[in-house]
Amino acid sequence: MPLHLHFGQSDLLRCRFAVSPLWETQEAVRTLKRPERQGYHLPWLRRIQQAARGLDLARLWLLMPQPGHTPDFLGPPPIGPAATFDEELAAVRATDPEVARQDMALSLACTPGAADSPAGRALLAEPARAVRELADAMEQAWHVLIEPEWPRLRALLEADVAYHSRRLAQVGLEGLLEELHPRIDWDPATLTLSARASSHRRSLDGQGLVLLPSVFSWPDVISGFEPPWQPTVAYPARGIGGLWTTPAATPQALAGVLGRGRADVLHALDAPASTSALAHALGRAPSSVSAHLTALRAAGLLTARRHGHQVLYERTPLGGALVAGGQDV
C-alpha cells in the first residue's frame, strides 16, 4: 500500500538534498540484523565484526521492527545540508520525553509482545532515561561502525548529491524524483511511494521535502516521518556497488606524464570527492593531496565547487580524456 506526499506550490520551491551521519549510523545498526541488506557491505562487515560484538544494540534493535515503525527521534530528518554527527546527536538528546515515549510506543506495537517485555516496559516507563541511553548507544555505534569509514561514505553521498543536482537542472523535479528509485512515482503535485506496509497520505504544508541519499538504506527507499518532522525521503545512493572495492592501480602511462602522486589523485576521481576523502582512499597525507589538487586544477584538469563545509573536486573533460587515454594496455 502506498504513501502519498502532496505538494503545494511553495513545497516545490523547498526541496533540498542533505547528508546525515546520524542516519547512516542508524541504518548501519539495522543492516547488522538484516541479511538482505548486507550484500554490498560484506567487506565492511568483515572489518567491523569483532568491534561490533562489544556494542550493546539490543534496545535499538527492539525499536527497529521489520516491517514497522522506527522512532523518528532516533534518526530524524537532517537539521541542515551538512550537519555533523555531534550536532545531530545533540538534537536526539534534546527530544522531549513524552514525544519519545509516544514514538517508542508506536514502534513497540509493531512487534507482538515487545511493549510487555522487560526491555519494552523499561523504555516506556522512563522515557527520559531511554532517550539518554539510546543516544549513548547511537554514539557508540557511530564510533565503531561509521566514523572510521566516514570520509569514504561522505564522498559517495556528496557525489550522489552533485549528480542529482545536475539531473535536477537537466530534467526538472518530476524527472529527478522518478529516477531516484523504482518505487517512487510522481503525478502532478503528488509523490507516491509504493509497496509500504500501510497506506498513508500527508500534505507537506509548505515544509518542502528533504532528499536524503543513503549508503546503508540500500535497497530500500524510506519515508513516513510525521509532524513535527520535516517530510523526508531516504533513497539508495549511487555507486554503492564499488564503495568497498580497492581502487584500481593508476596506469603507468598516466604516472609517466603527471608524476605518481598527481596521477593517483586524478585517477581516483571517478566521482566528485573532497581532499579528506581522497587522502583516506589513497592513504596519503591531506596536505600532499591538497597540493596535487591545486596543481591539477591550475592545469585545467579539475574543477572545484563548495558543498556545505566541503570543497568537492571533479575531473574536467580534459582531465577525463587524459585518464582515459593513459590506460595501460
Side-chain angles (χ1 to χ4, degrees), residues 97 101 104 121-133:
R101 191 192 68 78
M104 291 186 294
R121 290 198 303 269
L123 290 170
L124 298 177
E126 298 184 78
R129 179 178 178 179
V131 169
R132 291 194 303 271
E133 293 181 346

Side-chain angles (χ1 to χ4, degrees), residues 23-180:
W23 179 267
E24 292 308 312
T25 303
Q26 173 186 266
E27 293 305 295
V29 169
R30 194 191 309 273
T31 296
L32 295 178
K33 294 287 281 186
R34 296 271 303 276
E36 69 274 18
R37 279 192 176 194
Q38 294 175 2
Y40 284 133
H41 301 306
L42 291 177
W44 168 77
L45 287 163
R46 285 192 289 268
R47 283 206 292 273
I48 59 90
Q49 62 180 345
Q50 184 171 355
R53 293 191 188 104
L55 295 173
D56 182 3
L57 303 175
R59 284 165 295 182
L60 289 174
W61 283 331
L62 184 64
L63 295 171
M64 294 178 176
Q66 179 57 34
H69 173 74
T70 296
D72 289 333
F73 78 88
L74 283 178
I79 57 179
T84 67
F85 177 82
D86 289 341
E87 290 169 337
E88 292 192 295
L89 189 66
V92 175
R93 293 190 186 280
T95 303
D96 180 279
E98 181 55 28
V99 170
R101 191 192 68 78
Q102 294 176 11
D103 214 358
M104 291 186 294
L106 286 175
S107 179
L108 293 168
C110 296
T111 304
D116 292 326
S117 69
R121 290 198 303 269
L123 290 170
L124 298 177
E126 298 184 78
R129 179 178 178 179
V131 169
R132 291 194 303 271
E133 293 181 346
L134 291 167
D136 288 344
M138 288 288 282
E139 184 173 19
Q140 292 163 8
W142 156 257
H143 289 309
V144 171
L145 304 179
I146 300 299
E147 187 178 26
E149 305 290 351
W150 183 239
R152 181 197 298 254
L153 299 175
R154 183 174 60 192
L156 185 139
L157 295 170
E158 290 175 345
D160 179 275
V161 171
Y163 172 83
H164 283 114
S165 296
R166 289 194 297 270
R167 291 297 292 161
L168 176 62
Q170 293 166 350
V171 303
L173 182 62
E174 177 179 359
L176 170 69
L177 292 173
E178 291 186 336
E179 289 180 0
L180 293 180

